[in-house]
Structure formats: C-alpha cells, structure tokens
Amino acid sequence: MSLEISKAIDILQEHDLLVSSKVLDENLFVTNISYNSREDQNNGIFFCKGNNFKTEYLQQAVDAGAQLYVSEKEYDMGISNLIVKDVQKALSILSAAFYGNPEKSLFIIAFTGTKGKTTTSYFIHNILDQVYPGKVALFSTVDRIVGPKPEDKFKSDLTTPESMELFRDMRRAVDNGMTKLVMEVSSQAYKKNRVYGLKFDIGGFLNITPDHIGENEHPTYADYLFCKKQLLINSKVNIINAQTNDFDTVIAAARETSAEKDIYLFGRDTKNADFSISSKEATLSDSIFDVSAVTDKGKQLNVDGEYKLGVVGDFNEMNATAAIIASRLAQADKKDIASGLRTARVPGRMEHINTKSHGTIFVDYAHNYASMKALLGFLRTEYPKSKLKVVVGSPGNKGISRRAGFGKVLTELADSAILTTDDPGFEDPADICKQIDEHIDHSKVEVKTIIDRQSAIREMIEHGSGDDIIVLAAKGEDHYQKTNGIDVPYPSDPTVAKGILKDIEG
C-alpha cells in the first residue's frame, strides 16, 4: 500500500479540507499510515488526532521515521505537513486512498439502530454466505470476518472501527476474494467521521430511542438522531422500520438522496408500509412469522410467505424482515433467505443455557431500556409463572440515560435483580449501580449489588431453582471489561455461567 502526497493534496482539496501544505518532496510516496505513535512509522504519514493529542506523540512518530504529518495545526517539526480543517475527515478519505479504495470493489450493506443492528447483520451475513460462500465479509460489534480462513475472523473492539482500520480491513477482505460486506454503522461512526466519504449500496434504519447520551457520546437526543440518519443520506437504497420513533425525520433523510422506488418500508401488522409482518408462533428455540407485501413495489421482491427464525424472541422478527429485504436486494432468492434465517445464530444474543436444577439462563446483549424491555417482555409472556431474575450493569462515561432506563424496566418486569459491573470506564462501578438502584421500586423488585460480575452471576445462578428465568444482560460475548482506560480480560457471560454450572451441577 502507498499514497503519493500530490494525490493526497488533490483529494483533500476536492473535499475542501486542505488549509495549507508544506511538502519538502513533491514526489514523495508514503508506504505507511498511522495515528498511533507507538506503531511503525517508517516512511509514513502520521495523523495528529484525538482530544488528548500531545506534541510528544508527533515527535515520537518523527523519530520513528514519519515523513509527513496531517493536523489541524502546524507544529515545528522540520518535516512535510498537510494542515486540514478536520483531521478525522482527512484520515477517512486518505485511508481509503492509501488502501486503494477497496470500498469500490464491495457491495456494502449497512444497518443502524438503537437496538437490533448486530442481530440483523448476522442474519444477512448468514443468508448471503449461503448464496456467495466465502465471499461475504462482516464488520459487527462482536466479530469481524475478512476472509474464509479461521485467521480471518477476529473479535471487534468497536461497533464501527476507526476509518483507517475500516479501510484496512476492507482491503484485506477484497484481497481475500470477498465481494460483499455487511456492517453495522453506529451513531459514533458519523459523530467522529469514521465513515466520512463512504457511500453504501444499501442502508437500513431499524429504530431509535434515547440512548448514547453522555459526556463522551452525544450531547443531546437531537444530535444522536442527526448522526443516525446520516446513514440513509449516504446510501443508494434504504430499508426503514415504518414504526420507528421520529419516522418523519428518518424518511425525510432517506428522500434527500434516494428516490421513492429505492426506499422500502416494513412494519408489524400495518398497511402503511411496503411489507407487513405478523407473528404466528414463538417457542424456546425459534419463532415463526409471516411476511406479506402491501404495495406493488414490495410484491416485486417476491418474498411473501412464512419464515422460521432460529433465534428466540418475537422482537427479532422485525430484524429478520429487514434482513429479508436486504438479502433479496442483494440477489438472494426466497429459498436461500428462509434457510439462512432458520440456521442463523448470533453470539451473545438470546443464547439460552439449560440447567439441571437452577432454572433456565438467557444471555443477551440487551443494553438499554428499549432492548431490555423487548427481551424481558418476551420472557414474561413466554414464562408467566416463572420468577424473572436479572444480572445487569451499565457502562461508565457513556449512555448515562441507560441507568434510569434499567431501573424503570426492572421495576416493570423483573422479580429480582443483581446490579454489577459492566465496562465502568473511569467511573466507580458502585456509583453506577447506585444510580440504577435509585430508579428501581424496591417494593416490586428484590435488589442486591455485587460489584464483581462473576460473583454476581454465581450468586444468581446458585440461588436459582425450578422454573426461574435468569437473564445475564448487556455484555453477551464481550471478552473484556473497559476499566480505567484498560481492556481487562473477562471470560464472557456464557463462559462464566457454564463454568459455574459445571462447579455446582457437575
């Protein structure tokens, strides 16, 4: 990979980002790109980015061989520089160019939503991987898949990676023969310009509820909504939940860049969409639902019929419908779509673990009021006579509104809860638990606080019995706890639960 600096200048000018340039060698080709001074800088271009950026980081990069830096301000370093209006936007478009614009070789399907985007992405990936074996990449909150070999699948650290990593992994996927990419796009991806300049073939909007409002995320709900809707503006074809909050704002965003023929609406038991879904049956292991086209545009896709979803939870039927539409637009036929949904599995989402005498355990990533209410509401309906017991925490320095939301939903639907640690960041997890607890009605819910998550899960399982339903919420398959700026290894909730059961049940 390489990038000619004269070309970089042209690209920045094209996007009206260049303020000034000081290039000592107009024929310079850089063969490295980085924003981390601890990485290899030899013959590289270094980006001075981040709220906590220090001049010493640039000095380290220069000492390690960087030939040019990109920044919003000039430093006295004696090497070439490009001064830009927005370094995050510059990082995105120059990373794309450095890696040879791999996005142009991929058919990209992207989804956003307060809840459901991971599940929907896995559904689509499972369907398309049957149609195009070994040709479909996945960038999700849980995993990244950039090739057909085991070493091409690895855990994600962000829902939507930084732009440099995003285009690097796209390049790796293209080099591995991948032709399609299914990815999640978070609101932070637009807030921090990680996908700046990227256009999607299909963009999906699942839902929006107040979340991710906090000091390190979105200052207001309006800002959150503004960032979410950018996906639709930057997609050729749109798939939208017609029953989402703020639908008028969302559909208006889609119409900014897409014609009506390229906007597909879906909803539950409705005539005000292109597709209507209705539930038929929900069991412990799957759900069955119908999809029917309402409009001529919907009928042209030929996806009407009954579908069986191999994931627990009637709330996942909306995600599945979005996946059906997206997969059909990607040229999968109805038979492949039905098969893909039937066999789909999502790590850490509605995984259930049977026990001999300690109830039934469900592990789910539900991490805000909306997703937790959908999960607990489904379980309450399916198990009306069971005690519903929940282990949950909330992250630090982000999504502050989740704390009140958890307290509210536990009061509405749970019988007991243990509050615990979940990515506390730079906050005291005890303080976070206290803030959740302040919103719980103790006359309706029995509450304990056990800060160590593994101990909290052990306590809940050991005291589970008979028909109890135990929910381990919000972390799912996460293999670390974000604590004081460090990713502290954590086995994941399913692994912890299975280990505890092995100890107490053999």
Side-chain angles (χ1 to χ4, degrees):
M1 301 295 107
S2 65
L3 178 62
E4 186 177 6
I5 297 308
S6 60
K7 180 181 178 182
I9 291 173
D10 290 343
I11 293 171
L12 292 171
Q13 288 176 330
E14 179 185 339
H15 286 265
D16 193 27
L17 288 172
L18 188 67
V19 174
S20 66
S21 61
K22 184 178 74 175
V23 179
L24 304 180
D25 179 2
E26 292 185 359
N27 297 316
L28 175 66
F29 271 82
V30 293
T31 53
N32 220 329
I33 187 170
S34 175
Y35 57 84
N36 185 340
S37 60
R38 293 170 292 184
E39 295 176 344
D40 181 16
Q41 306 294 330
N42 187 46
N43 193 37
I45 179 171
F46 182 76
F47 290 81
C48 306
K49 80 172 196 70
N51 295 331
N52 300 315
F53 185 80
K54 299 177 182 178
T55 307
E56 64 191 68
Y57 300 154
L58 176 56
Q59 186 63 62
Q60 290 169 3
V62 173
D63 292 344
Q67 296 296 303
L68 179 146
Y69 68 87
V70 179
S71 175
E72 292 173 12
K73 59 178 284 189
E74 189 165 4
Y75 297 89
D76 185 15
M77 285 292 165
I79 65 169
S80 298
N81 66 52
L82 301 176
I83 307 304
V84 296
K85 296 177 182 177
D86 188 314
V87 71
Q88 283 280 169
K89 290 180 178 180
L91 177 63
S92 184
I93 58 175
L94 294 185
S95 292
F98 178 83
Y99 287 106
N101 295 106
E103 73 280 6
K104 294 180 179 179
S105 300
L106 292 165
F107 184 91
I108 307 177
I109 302 171
F111 269 84
T112 197
T114 302
K115 61 176 181 173
K117 55 185 177 292
T118 299
T119 300
T120 304
S121 296
Y122 269 86
F123 289 167
I124 298 170
H125 183 267
N126 201 60
I127 293 166
L128 295 185
D129 196 49
Q130 295 188 18
V131 184
Y132 311 99
K135 301 290 186 182
V136 187
L138 174 69
F139 294 177
S140 81
T141 300
V142 182
D143 293 316
R144 252 177 272 173
I145 300 173
V146 297
K149 299 177 181 177
E151 59 266 29
D152 296 324
K153 179 178 179 179
F154 48 93
K155 293 296 177 184
S156 297
D157 52 2
L158 289 169
T159 297
T160 310
E162 182 56 85
S163 57
M164 191 186 81
E165 284 82 8
L166 181 67
F167 289 106
R168 178 201 64 197
D169 289 346
M170 284 186 187
R171 168 48 55 194
R172 186 173 168 186
V174 171
D175 290 348
N176 283 330
M178 312 296 256
T179 58
K180 290 179 173 55
L181 168 62
V182 183
M183 66 180 288
E184 301 177 45
V185 177
S186 66
S187 58
Q188 285 293 298
Y190 278 106
K191 182 72 175 174
K192 297 185 177 181
N193 288 306
R194 293 177 190 151
V195 291
Y196 176 75
L198 191 57
K199 302 299 181 184
F200 302 98
D201 293 284
I202 297 174
F205 193 102
L206 297 169
N207 48 66
I208 186 167
T209 56
D211 194 28
H212 298 285
I213 314 300
E215 57 182 316
N216 293 326
E217 296 188 285
H218 298 279
T220 63
Y221 174 75
D223 184 71
Y224 179 48
L225 174 59
F226 175 82
C227 291
K228 280 285 187 194
K229 72 179 186 179
Q230 298 308 306
L231 175 64
L232 302 177
I233 295 170
N234 289 284
S235 298
K236 298 174 185 176
V237 177
N238 298 136
I239 299 169
I240 302 171
N241 173 5
Q243 293 160 331
T244 182
N245 291 334
D246 296 287
F247 173 75
D248 289 346
T249 300
V250 172
I251 190 70
R255 287 169 175 159
E256 285 187 36
T257 53
S258 296
E260 289 295 329
K261 68 179 180 62
D262 293 321
I263 301 173
Y264 293 86
L265 305 180
F266 67 96
R268 183 180 292 279
D269 300 319
T270 180
K271 293 183 179 180
N272 298 317
D274 298 298
F275 300 94
S276 177
I277 69 168
S278 58
S279 298
K280 294 188 70 175
E281 181 182 341
T283 71
L284 291 180
S285 57
D286 54 43
S287 61
I288 299 172
F289 63 100
D290 273 329
V291 174
S292 59
V294 178
T295 64
D296 290 339
K297 179 171 60 177
K299 291 174 183 176
Q300 288 175 10
L301 288 191
N302 191 29
V303 294
D304 283 36
E306 180 181 283
Y307 292 87
K308 185 174 184 179
L309 182 59
V311 176
V312 179
D314 55 359
F315 50 89
N316 278 318
E317 294 167 359
M318 289 286 276
N319 300 328
T321 303
I324 290 169
I325 301 167
S327 299
R328 185 71 189 96
L329 291 170
Q331 305 306 309
D333 63 29
K334 183 179 173 182
K335 180 180 178 182
D336 290 318
I337 293 171
S339 174
L341 289 179
R342 193 167 52 247
T343 59
R345 297 292 181 270
V346 186
R349 266 64 171 182
M350 282 303 283
E351 178 176 349
H352 82 277
I353 303 169
N354 293 319
T355 75
K356 294 178 182 177
S357 57
H358 291 80
T360 301
I361 301 168
F362 286 88
V363 180
D364 192 85
Y365 188 67
H367 62 288
N368 53 46
Y369 175 79
S371 55
M372 183 77 90
K373 185 172 183 178
L375 168 64
L376 298 186
F378 168 75
L379 292 173
R380 177 62 75 196
T381 300
E382 291 300 305
Y383 302 92
K385 297 180 180 180
S386 295
K387 293 287 186 181
L388 199 50
K389 303 179 175 183
V390 183
V391 176
V392 69
S394 194
N397 309 111
K398 62 185 287 189
I400 306 302
S401 63
R402 296 180 192 176
R403 301 170 193 182
F406 281 149
K408 181 181 178 184
V409 74
L410 290 171
T411 296
E412 291 170 347
L413 293 165
D415 293 293
S416 65
I418 296 180
L419 307 180
T420 190
T421 298
D422 181 356
D423 293 337
F426 292 93
E427 289 191 67
D428 183 342
D431 290 341
I432 297 173
C433 291
K434 183 179 178 182
Q435 290 172 37
I436 298 172
D437 193 37
E438 289 171 350
H439 295 276
I440 300 175
D441 184 340
H442 286 238
S443 68
K444 297 180 179 179
V445 188
E446 179 184 335
V447 185
K448 285 185 180 180
T449 295
I450 300 176
I451 298 302
D452 179 73
R453 191 174 183 93
Q454 295 192 53
S455 298
I457 293 173
R458 179 175 287 276
E459 171 82 4
M460 190 64 92
I461 292 175
E462 286 183 343
H463 288 83
S465 62
D467 295 329
D468 286 354
I469 301 299
I470 295 172
V471 177
L472 310 182
K475 278 204 77 66
E477 283 282 350
D478 283 357
H479 285 268
Y480 48 82
Q481 290 272 19
K482 292 183 178 294
T483 307
N484 293 320
I486 299 171
D487 287 349
V488 180
Y490 174 75
S492 84
D493 281 357
T495 301
V496 171
K498 291 170 184 176
I500 292 167
L501 288 171
K502 187 175 181 180
D503 287 345
I504 64 178
E505 291 191 342

